[in-house]
Amino acid sequence: MKLQMFSVDAFTESPFRGNPAAVVLLTQPQDDATLQKVATELNLSETSYVRLLEGDESAPWTTGCRYSLRWFTPVQEVLLCGHATIATAHVLFSELGNPSSQLEFETLSGVLVVRKEGSNIVMDFPSNPPVSLTPEQEKQLAPLVQVASGGLRLHTVLISHTLKYLLVCLHHSYSRRELEAIEPNFNDMKTAHDGSLAHCVMVCVAGDANHQHHAYSRFFAPLYGINEDPVTGSAHTVLAPYWAGQLGRKELNFWQCSERGGEVKVKILDNERVHVQGIQA
């Protein structure tokens, strides 16, 4: 078996920054076990698999505008991934010469439309606003919150049940500096909760006074085989509606404070969708 593969750094203009994703081109179906083994072997936070749905199969990457798209972490398939979607679109647009101005991807999260906008790529994603926890859920998740937040004071804890993403917002007295200083024990995170309610934890804090970035975040997902994800597009389908409500605005700039780091721009739409925008190196 031979598979053509690309590696793309998303949410950055510089190599070795942002979030790297593998993009694998499929010209015929492969069984799920093989897809997972390849993703495990590559050991990136996401490996995307793209396959033509509509177009000329003799030239699948230049004639098509509708594709299937799946995303795998080193341990399992996921419902939604932003940086690997940007990476896939970049490969089709820029590396393989697809002339379309926009592409449609059939995914586990429905049909996602992705378009070029200058040097950026804009993704139309479902909005996943977080909701309050029940008292029982708070009790179940308290050990996980404690480890992920480094024991810092909290403003609120919410959850997106669709993605199983837990949103932990630090107290407003904290800044980016305190967020970046958190050093969670990832083994403790794996044992603090079994994943039945939450697979991943986003820890965030309000942005700087000049609003260059409206909020800062980090993303921990040891149950997905990713201790800390560098820049997480799907997380911003949860972060954006939360911070839009807090700040009373529909367009927001975020910075994800991993070692590699990356900027994500999000626009809240009126149809329970969000536009997630990023650049790629």
Side-chain angles (χ1 to χ4, degrees):
M1 179 181 63
K2 292 185 178 181
L3 297 173
Q4 188 176 5
M5 186 198 77
F6 296 81
S7 179
V8 178
D9 292 335
F11 295 116
T12 182
E13 296 179 283
S14 304
F16 313 116
R17 302 285 291 176
N19 202 352
V23 180
V24 179
L25 310 180
L26 296 180
T27 55
Q28 60 185 19
Q30 298 288 341
D31 62 274
D32 289 2
T34 298
L35 300 182
Q36 185 59 69
K37 287 177 181 178
V38 172
T40 302
E41 179 77 12
L42 293 173
N43 200 34
L44 294 172
S45 58
E46 298 289 348
T47 296
S48 66
Y49 295 96
V50 59
R51 187 164 185 264
L52 179 72
L53 291 178
E54 295 179 11
D56 183 353
E57 292 189 0
S58 66
W61 315 120
T62 56
T63 63
C65 59
R66 192 175 182 90
Y67 297 87
S68 69
L69 184 62
R70 298 174 71 182
W71 311 281
F72 286 74
T73 77
V75 299
Q76 69 183 83
E77 187 172 12
V78 297
L79 188 66
L80 183 65
C81 179
H83 83 278
T85 302
I86 283 183
T88 302
H90 169 75
V91 167
L92 291 169
F93 285 140
S94 301
E95 303 298 327
L96 300 176
N98 190 299
S100 302
S101 60
Q102 72 175 34
L103 302 169
E104 293 184 3
F105 296 115
E106 287 194 6
T107 77
L108 291 178
S109 290
V111 176
L112 306 179
V113 177
V114 180
R115 72 175 190 275
K116 291 186 290 187
E117 192 170 283
S119 60
N120 293 321
I121 290 175
V122 178
M123 304 176 290
D124 187 304
F125 274 7
S127 179
N128 293 293
V131 298
S132 300
L133 299 171
T134 66
E136 179 59 30
Q137 290 169 342
E138 287 183 3
K139 182 178 178 180
Q140 285 182 261
L141 293 169
L144 179 62
V145 172
Q146 176 73 14
V147 177
S149 66
L152 297 178
R153 293 172 61 198
L154 306 179
H155 173 66
T156 191
V157 178
L158 303 170
I159 192 167
S160 165
H161 290 297
T162 303
L163 297 178
K164 289 191 173 183
Y165 286 3
L166 189 66
L167 186 154
V168 177
C169 184
L170 300 179
H171 189 269
H172 295 327
S173 60
Y174 295 123
S175 68
R176 173 180 178 175
R177 181 175 59 186
E178 285 82 15
L179 174 65
E180 291 179 335
I182 295 173
E183 296 182 0
N185 184 310
F186 295 113
N187 287 327
D188 287 351
M189 285 189 70
K190 288 180 181 179
T191 59
H193 178 61
D194 61 6
S196 57
L197 287 173
H199 271 118
C200 312
V201 184
M202 300 170 289
V203 183
C204 63
V205 68
D208 41 44
N210 63 12
H211 294 300
Q212 179 183 2
H213 297 108
H214 297 100
Y216 298 103
S217 69
R218 294 176 68 186
F219 188 91
F220 306 127
L223 289 179
Y224 276 150
I226 310 159
N227 285 341
E228 180 166 6
D229 195 39
V231 194
T232 315
S234 60
H236 291 80
T237 69
V238 181
L239 288 164
Y242 170 73
W243 284 105
Q246 294 294 301
L247 300 175
R249 56 181 300 132
K250 292 189 174 183
E251 296 188 27
L252 303 108
N253 298 328
F254 295 91
W255 183 266
Q256 193 158 325
C257 299
S258 65
E259 182 177 347
R260 293 173 65 104
E263 185 171 54
V264 183
K265 297 183 178 182
V266 186
K267 182 178 181 179
I268 305 291
L269 306 180
D270 294 330
N271 58 351
E272 298 183 346
R273 308 285 294 184
V274 295
H275 280 173
V276 180
Q277 178 177 308
I279 199 165
Q280 63 293 316

